[in-house]
Amino acid sequence: MFVDQVKILLKAGDGGNGITAYRREKYVPFGGPAGGDGGRGASIVFEVDEGLRTLLDFRYQRQFKAKRGEGGQSSNMHGRNAEDLVLRVPPGTIIKAVETDEVIADLVENGQRAVVAKGGRGGRGNSRFATPRNPAPDFSENGEPGEEIEVTLELKLMADVGLVGFPSVGKSTLLSTVSKAKPKIGAYHFTTIKPNLGVVSTPDGRSFVMADLPGLIEGASEGVGLGHQFLRHVERTKVIVHVIDMSGSEGRDPYEDYQTINNELKSYGQRLEDRPQIIVANKMDLPDAQDNLELFKSEVGDDVEIIPISAYTRENLDQLLYAIADKLEEYKDVDFSKEDDEALGVNRVLYKHTPSQDAFTITRDDDAAFVVSGKAIERMFHMTDFNSDPAVRRFARQMRSMGIDDALRERGAKNGDIVRILGGEFEFVE
C-alpha cells in the first residue's frame, strides 16, 4: 500500500523533577542542600531512511509519546536523560505544523535528521537555588513539559524524471520496458493509482530514477481525479517526460491532450511549467500515428522537440533515454523548488521548529475570573511545586517580574479577585 500523506500527534518527553534533599553525614548536624536535577525528556526526531518508500508505518499509529527524564536523587545525583525517540521516514518527506501550516523540516538525504518536538529540560534540585542569603533552600523545580505538536507528513517522491500524461497513454508500459519496475498495466483508465519508481540505465552507463505517476485529467490542479495526490510528486522532478498517445486510440486529439496537461501543470503552481519537458509521441506502431504526428508537429511548432517511440515494440527507446540523461546533466544543479531563481542543492532544506515564547494574554471567564495564558507563564506553572510554600512564593515573584501583576491591575483586578492559570486558581493580593 502506498501512503503519501498522514497526520500524527507528537508529545515529547517531560523533564524529570528535581528533588529537595539535604546531606546526612555523621557528626554534621546541619548538612547543606543535596537535591539533584531531573533528567532531560526525550525529543522526537525524524530521520531519513533511504530504504523506505512510503509513510505506511504512520497509517495505523497516529500518536507518538516520548519518555520522560528520570527524577533527581539525593547526594546531588542527577536523573538520567531519556533516549530520543527516532521516527524513520522516506526521502522526500515534508513535515508541517497543522496549526500554522509552517514547514518544520524538508528531509531529502539519507541520514538527515530534524528535531520536531523538543523534550523538556529537567527540573533543578534545591542545590541549584542555594545563595548566601538562603544557603539551605527548601524547594525544587518540576521538570519542563515536553513540546506537543500535531504535524502532517507529506511525501514527495525523490525521482529525477516524472512521466506525465493522460490515462492509458503508455506511461506504465514505458517504465516497465526501460527499467525493472513492475507497475500494473491494463487496458483501462487509471490502471496506475499509485506512483511507481524505477532505476533506468542508458547504454552509455548513465542512470537516473524515473517515476510513473498516476494519469492526469482536466481539473487535476483543483483536485479533480487523483489531482493533488499526483501533482505533489512532480514537484521534486527535474525533468518532465510528457507522454502522448499519438495514435489517438482513445478517441482524443493529441494536441488537445498536450495543451490540457500543460495547463494543469501551470495551474498547480510550484513552477512546474519551468521544468524542462521532453515530448514523447508514443504508440507509433499503431495505424494513423504517423499522420497524427505530422499534424501535431505543425500545431506545436518547430521549437518543440518531439521523440517518437513505441514502448510496446521498444522502437527508439535509446534515443529517448539519451535525451533524458542529457537534459538531467544540463539541469543537475538547478533547484526548481526555490521561489526565486537562485540555484541551490537539495541539502539546503532543513528547518528548525522553535515555538515562539509569547508574553501573555489576559481574558475574563463567565464568572468574572481573570485568565492568564501564554507559553512562558504556563511553562513556569508546570515547573512549580505548589505543595511547597517557598516554590509558590518564587512563582509569585516570577509573575511580578513578567509584569502580570501590573497588567491585571490595568484590567481592573482588585484584592481578592480570582486569577486562573491552566488548572490553578489564585487570589489577587495587593
Side-chain angles (χ1 to χ4, degrees):
M1 182 181 296
F2 184 82
V3 178
D4 61 359
Q5 190 171 28
V6 293
K7 185 185 295 183
I8 60 176
L9 180 65
L10 308 175
K11 173 64 172 73
D14 298 339
N17 296 338
I19 189 175
T20 301
Y22 300 92
R23 291 200 305 272
R24 295 290 184 264
E25 300 177 20
K26 193 174 183 180
Y27 307 122
V28 180
F30 300 104
D37 299 346
R40 177 184 56 80
S43 298
I44 299 182
V45 181
F46 284 81
E47 181 179 352
V48 176
D49 183 345
E50 64 182 359
L52 298 176
R53 284 290 178 266
T54 175
L55 297 172
L56 182 62
D57 291 346
F58 299 95
R59 183 179 178 88
Y60 302 107
Q61 184 177 352
R62 298 297 181 94
Q63 296 184 8
F64 295 86
K65 185 176 182 180
K67 294 181 179 179
R68 71 173 300 149
E70 194 176 85
Q73 301 178 42
S74 58
S75 301
N76 286 319
M77 291 190 293
H78 299 331
R80 179 181 294 126
N81 295 334
E83 187 174 349
D84 289 342
L85 175 60
V86 179
L87 304 178
R88 290 177 170 79
V89 293
T93 299
I94 291 178
I95 305 171
K96 292 183 178 179
V98 170
E99 185 176 355
T100 63
D101 203 35
E102 170 198 6
V103 175
I104 300 172
D106 189 352
L107 303 172
V108 296
E109 294 182 350
N110 186 47
Q112 194 173 14
R113 282 187 161 209
V115 178
V116 175
K118 188 178 180 181
R121 70 170 177 84
R124 291 172 289 182
N126 66 331
S127 296
R128 297 287 190 177
F129 300 101
T131 65
R133 294 183 59 184
N134 184 15
D138 54 354
F139 66 93
S140 55
E141 275 184 337
N142 292 334
E144 179 186 21
E147 292 178 351
E148 185 171 353
I149 184 172
E150 190 175 22
V151 299
T152 298
L153 306 183
E154 186 176 294
L155 176 61
K156 296 179 182 178
L157 291 181
M158 298 295 293
D160 302 306
V161 180
L163 300 176
V164 305
F166 268 85
S168 300
V169 296
K171 299 185 300 296
S172 297
T173 302
L174 175 59
L175 180 67
S176 66
T177 303
V178 299
S179 74
K180 292 185 178 180
K182 303 297 180 185
K184 184 177 181 181
I185 299 173
Y188 52 91
H189 287 185
F190 296 108
T191 311
T192 305
I193 58 174
K194 65 178 184 180
N196 295 291
L197 290 176
V199 178
V200 180
S201 296
T202 63
D204 60 357
R206 292 177 290 177
S207 63
F208 50 86
V209 178
M210 179 181 286
D212 161 31
L213 301 162
L216 276 174
I217 59 175
E218 189 170 3
S221 60
E222 300 173 358
V224 177
L226 297 172
H228 293 168
Q229 289 88 336
F230 155 74
L231 284 166
R232 75 163 59 96
H233 298 295
V234 186
E235 294 179 32
R236 298 286 192 187
T237 61
K238 291 188 180 297
V239 174
I240 294 177
V241 175
H242 189 161
V243 184
I244 300 173
D245 177 5
M246 200 53 65
S247 70
S249 58
E250 295 289 324
R252 295 193 305 267
D253 178 73
Y255 182 66
E256 289 182 4
D257 286 1
Y258 170 75
Q259 289 184 311
T260 300
I261 296 299
N262 282 334
N263 287 337
E264 294 305 323
L265 293 176
K266 186 175 182 178
S267 299
Y268 180 70
Q270 306 298 324
R271 296 179 58 192
L272 296 186
E273 71 277 8
D274 293 341
R275 303 291 198 282
Q277 189 174 127
I278 297 175
I279 309 302
V280 174
N282 193 24
K283 303 188 181 181
M284 292 303 297
D285 55 306
L286 297 182
D288 299 327
Q290 190 60 46
D291 293 339
N292 290 338
L293 177 60
E294 295 303 323
L295 178 60
F296 181 81
K297 286 181 178 179
S298 66
E299 290 173 318
V300 299
D302 297 332
D303 295 336
V304 178
E305 181 184 1
I306 304 167
I307 301 179
I309 69 163
S310 170
Y312 181 73
T313 64
R314 309 177 72 93
E315 176 190 351
N316 223 19
L317 289 186
D318 285 352
Q319 180 187 346
L320 172 61
L321 298 184
Y322 284 136
I324 294 173
D326 291 342
K327 194 70 72 174
L328 283 172
E329 288 184 3
E330 182 181 349
Y331 289 89
K332 64 181 179 180
D333 296 324
V334 179
D335 182 6
F336 291 100
S337 63
K338 291 288 287 181
E339 290 300 323
D340 53 34
D341 294 329
E342 184 180 2
L344 296 174
V346 293
N347 57 0
R348 84 200 189 286
V349 282
L350 181 61
Y351 302 84
K352 187 175 181 181
H353 177 57
T354 52
S356 59
Q357 294 293 325
D358 55 40
F360 58 85
T361 57
I362 298 176
T363 56
R364 301 293 293 271
D365 263 352
D366 294 338
D367 60 356
F370 294 88
V371 180
V372 181
S373 58
K375 289 186 181 296
I377 187 61
E378 290 172 3
R379 173 178 172 273
M380 293 176 187
F381 179 88
H382 280 296
M383 298 183 71
T384 300
D385 179 7
F386 288 98
N387 294 317
S388 167
D389 288 340
V392 173
R393 289 195 293 271
R394 178 173 178 266
F395 180 73
R397 291 195 300 271
Q398 290 174 319
M399 288 182 60
R400 194 175 304 116
S401 67
M402 289 180 64
I404 293 178
D405 285 9
D406 292 338
L408 285 169
R409 290 189 186 94
E410 291 178 5
R411 290 292 300 266
K414 296 181 175 57
N415 199 40
D417 285 349
I418 298 298
V419 178
R420 293 195 180 104
I421 301 175
L422 294 178
E425 288 191 357
F426 311 89
E427 282 191 6
F428 184 75
V429 179
E430 286 285 2

